[in-house]
Amino acid sequence: MLEKYFNLKEQGTSVRTEVIAGVTTFLTMAYIIFVNPEILSSTGMDRNAVFVATCLAAAIGSLIMGLVAKWPIGMAPGMGLNAFFAFTVVGAMGFSWQQALGAVFISGVIFLLLTISGVRSWLIAGIPHSMRSAIAAGIGLFLGIIALKSSGIVIASPATLVTLGDLSQTGTLLAIAGFFIIAALDALKVRGAILIGILVITVASMALGVSQFNGIISMPPSILPTFLQLDVVGALHAGLVHVILVFVLVEVFDATGTLIGVAKRAGLIEPGKPNRLGRALLADSTAIVAGSLLGTSSTTAYVESASGVQAGGRTGLTALVIGVLFLAALFFSPLAGSVPAYATAPALLYVACLMMRELVEVEWADITEAAPAALTALMMPFTYSIANGLAFGFVSYAALKLLTGRPGEVHAATWLVAALFIIRFAFFAH
C-alpha cells in the first residue's frame, strides 16, 4: 500500500530508506519541542500546553506534507517567528498572547489565499534576492541576541546599552559549553547534534543542582490552556496590522525558500517538469492555521529536512515518519519541562550562526543592494523586532533605487510592501 501510494520504486527508494530518513530528520529538528515551550511560555502561556501544541502542530504539518504534497519535508513551529511572537509582539508591544495567536491565524489564512490565488509567486518574484538573504541573516542576529541574553553572556548596561555578563556563573558556563558541544558534533556530522547538546547540558545542570529533574515519560499534559484561545477580533487592532504583514512575508519567504531548497536537493523540482510546490505550500499554510488553533506560533517547513534527503528520503513517507515521531514525543513532557534556559540558549545561538551564512548571497558590490540588506539585518537585533528590520530594509531599498535613478529595478511587490510600512510608521506609530 505504501509502495503504491508514494511510488517508492519510481522514486528509487524503499520503505526502510524512507523510515531511516524520517528518523534522521526528526532527530535534527526535535530540539524545537524543548526550545518552543521555553520561548512562548515567557508570554504567560502554559508551558506544558505549548509543549503539546508544538508536538501536535509539527505532527499535523508533517502528516499533511507527507500525504498531500508527498514530499520528504518535516514541519514544526519556526525559529525566529516564535521569538518575534514572544519578545516583540507580546513582550515589547504589549499585546496579549491570545491576540498574537489571532495574528498568526489571520496570517495563515492570508498565506493560504495567496497560495491558492497564485499571488504568492508574484510576491516571491518581486522580492530582491539580497533582501531575502538579509531577512534570514537578520532573524539569525535576532535569535543570537536573545540567546546571549537568556544565557547571561550579554546583559543590560545603562552606560553602553549592553555589556558582557558574569562568565563565572554556572548557568552561563553551561550555555557556553553547550554551544561548543553542538558546534563540534555538527562539524563532525553527528545527526541530532542540537538535540544531543540540549540533553547533555540538561543532565549537567541537574547534576550541578542548577535545575531539577521532573521525570522523563508521562501521559501528555492538557492542551486546554492554549487550545482555541486565539483572539482573532483583538488581532484586527490597528497596531497589529503590520505584525500580520510581517508574519505573512516571513512565512512566505521562509517556506518557499526552504521547500525549493530541500526539494531541489532531493531532485523533486526539475526545470520544465510539473512539481508539487503548490501542494507543499498549501500544506504549509494549512499547518500555520492549525498551529494557531492549537496554541503555537507559525508552523513552517524545516531546512533540517535536508538531512533526511541526504539519508535517502525522496517521498512523503519520510514526512509521515516525522509526524508519527512527533506524536510519540507527546509522552516526554516531564523531560521537556526539565530543560533549563541554559540548555536551549546554545541551540538558539547555533541556529543563529547557521542563519548568518545567508549574508554571502548579498550583492555587496552594489550599494543599492548592500545597504538595504545590511539595514534589514542590523535593525532586527538592535530594535528587538523582525518587523522593524523588514520595514527599514524595504523602504531603504525602494528609496535608494529611486534616488540613484534606477526605479525600474524595483518590482511592484517591493513598492507595495515599502508603501505599507511607510503608512504604518506615519499613521500607526504606536
Side-chain angles (χ1 to χ4, degrees):
M1 188 183 84
L2 290 173
E3 157 66 49
K4 198 174 174 187
Y5 187 76
F6 293 109
N7 298 326
L8 299 180
K9 274 204 179 79
E10 196 184 307
Q11 295 287 346
T13 183
S14 64
V15 173
R16 182 180 177 275
T17 303
E18 293 289 303
V19 169
I20 290 170
V23 172
T24 302
T25 297
F26 174 76
L27 288 174
T28 59
M29 59 187 285
Y31 66 87
I32 194 64
I33 65 176
F34 302 121
V35 178
N36 206 44
E38 178 70 40
I39 291 175
L40 296 190
S41 61
S42 68
T43 65
M45 295 175 81
D46 183 271
R47 187 182 177 128
N48 285 333
V50 174
F51 167 79
V52 176
T54 302
C55 292
L56 288 178
I60 291 166
S62 300
L63 292 171
I64 295 172
M65 183 64 75
L67 294 169
V68 178
K70 298 183 184 176
W71 272 11
I73 291 173
M75 307 268 293
M79 294 293 290
L81 282 183
N82 53 2
F84 178 62
F85 178 108
F87 303 117
T88 305
V89 182
V90 180
M93 296 172 72
F95 290 103
S96 69
W97 60 263
Q98 290 91 340
Q99 284 173 298
L101 280 179
V104 172
F105 174 82
I106 295 166
S107 73
V109 171
I110 293 171
F111 187 2
L112 196 58
L113 295 173
L114 290 177
T115 303
I116 294 166
S117 64
V119 175
R120 180 206 58 83
S121 27
W122 173 79
L123 190 61
I124 284 293
I127 305 306
H129 186 71
S130 291
M131 285 293 295
R132 270 187 259 176
S133 301
I135 290 165
I139 291 172
L141 284 169
F142 181 49
L143 290 176
I145 197 166
I146 290 165
L148 293 168
K149 180 174 172 249
S150 67
S151 58
I153 296 170
V154 168
I155 57 169
S157 161
T160 57
L161 206 60
V162 288
T163 189
L164 191 65
D166 181 358
L167 299 188
S168 63
Q169 293 289 322
T170 310
T172 307
L173 288 169
L174 282 171
I176 293 167
F179 176 79
F180 289 132
I181 290 168
I182 292 168
L185 289 175
D186 203 28
L188 294 168
K189 303 280 187 288
V190 175
R191 287 183 185 134
I194 296 177
L195 181 64
I196 294 168
I198 289 173
L199 294 175
V200 167
I201 297 303
T202 300
V203 171
S205 73
M206 287 171 190
L208 293 166
V210 181
S211 62
Q212 60 187 110
F213 177 60
N214 300 328
I216 296 176
I217 295 176
S218 75
M219 288 304 288
S222 171
I223 194 178
L224 290 178
T226 60
F227 183 61
L228 298 181
Q229 295 298 310
L230 64 169
D231 180 3
V232 178
V233 176
L236 295 170
H237 182 284
L240 273 170
V241 171
H242 82 289
V243 167
I244 294 168
L245 174 66
V246 170
F247 276 139
V248 172
L249 287 175
V250 176
E251 284 160 5
V252 168
F253 302 150
D254 217 13
T256 309
T258 301
L259 289 169
I260 291 174
V262 177
K264 271 185 178 169
R265 207 177 289 192
L268 299 169
I269 293 182
E270 291 174 37
K273 288 190 179 178
N275 61 61
R276 295 176 170 270
L277 179 60
R279 285 189 175 199
L281 284 159
L282 214 57
D284 200 301
S285 47
T286 307
I288 293 169
V289 174
S292 68
L293 297 172
L294 293 165
T296 180
S297 52
S298 307
T299 304
T300 189
Y302 260 57
V303 75
E304 283 85 349
S305 304
S307 61
V309 166
Q310 195 73 32
R314 292 293 177 272
T315 75
L317 182 54
T318 296
L320 223 60
V321 172
I322 298 165
V324 170
L325 289 171
F326 269 113
L327 288 176
L330 282 167
F331 297 93
F332 290 87
S333 69
L335 179 61
S338 304
V339 175
Y342 299 114
T344 54
L348 274 179
L349 189 58
Y350 189 64
V351 171
C353 294
L354 297 180
M355 294 179 84
M356 291 296 297
R357 293 187 297 198
E358 286 288 331
L359 284 174
V360 299
E361 301 293 327
V362 175
E363 291 176 52
W364 293 107
D366 181 350
I367 198 67
T368 63
E369 296 282 336
L375 278 174
T376 301
L378 288 169
M379 292 304 286
M380 288 188 195
F382 291 136
T383 63
Y384 228 64
S385 167
I386 293 171
N388 292 336
L390 284 175
F392 273 76
F394 277 98
V395 173
S396 62
Y397 187 89
L400 282 174
K401 292 289 186 186
L402 185 64
L403 292 168
T404 52
R406 295 154 65 183
E409 292 179 20
V410 184
H411 190 279
T414 303
W415 286 117
L416 174 66
V417 174
L420 288 171
F421 277 122
I422 290 170
I423 291 166
R424 180 251 181 240
F425 281 116
F427 301 105
F428 308 107
H430 300 292

